[in-house]
Amino acid sequence: SESDRETMQRNDRNGVLGATSMPIGCASAAIRLLCATAEKRHMSAIERASASFSAEWESANREIEEWGGRGGDAEFFTNAVRIRAWCIELAVRAAHAAVTANSGAANLLSHPAQRIYREAMFYTIQAQTHEVLDATLNRLERPHPRG
């Protein structure tokens, strides 16, 4: 089918929150792998990271559910873009943590951590609008203390 620019933009705006299912699912897979790795390796850093990512995933999922039914709100689009950027960033960070926790084994193309990380990178650009790109970069630009 063909759509004009206005229809495409309206559909992008209406569907922005629905596109969170892929990165939040990817984050969930990374967190499950991180939890399994924590059970195997018994390292406090991995256990701490898996608990932290699990709690953040729960928070993001609550926001998706909260805003999912509020499509008519004036603040819907702004919040949907914010949540989508958060889910994208969470997927990338959780996947990176899974790669880190699995050490050299994650170098194998067949390792689940690497596959999940590649998926997270894909969801960073999949169905990306200017607003989603801007919100994602804003999250990634956060100042970090000197290490």
Side-chain angles (χ1 to χ4, degrees):
S1 73
E2 292 183 26
S3 297
D4 58 43
R5 183 178 297 257
E6 289 173 5
T7 302
M8 289 173 55
Q9 287 175 338
R10 185 174 52 253
N11 290 342
D12 284 346
R13 291 180 74 81
N14 293 338
V16 71
L17 194 57
T20 60
S21 62
M22 294 169 287
I24 198 76
C26 184
S28 178
I31 293 165
R32 283 193 309 273
L33 180 57
L34 195 57
C35 290
T37 305
E39 286 181 23
K40 287 181 197 169
R41 298 194 68 186
H42 302 290
M43 293 178 66
S44 62
I46 301 171
E47 292 166 358
R48 185 180 64 247
S50 64
S52 175
F53 280 111
S54 293
E56 185 177 353
W57 184 91
E58 290 289 336
S59 295
N61 208 40
R62 275 193 302 275
E63 290 227 20
I64 292 167
E65 290 176 12
E66 176 187 341
W67 283 96
R70 296 172 63 179
D73 282 13
E75 299 173 359
F76 172 78
F77 184 71
T78 301
N79 281 288
V81 168
R82 175 186 58 81
I83 294 165
R84 172 120 173 250
W86 180 14
C87 291
I88 290 168
E89 183 203 18
L90 176 58
V92 171
R93 287 187 298 110
H96 192 178
V99 166
T100 302
N102 281 280
S103 303
N107 279 324
L108 297 173
L109 284 173
S110 60
H111 196 279
Q114 189 179 123
R115 181 191 53 79
I116 293 167
Y117 191 70
R118 289 191 315 266
E119 285 182 26
M121 289 188 301
F122 171 73
Y123 296 136
T124 302
I125 60 168
Q126 186 263 340
Q128 185 183 70
T129 64
H130 292 291
E131 294 91 354
V132 172
L133 182 145
D134 184 56
T136 303
L137 288 175
N138 281 336
R139 286 196 64 90
L140 294 170
E141 292 174 352
R142 291 184 305 208
H144 295 283
R146 295 175 90 181

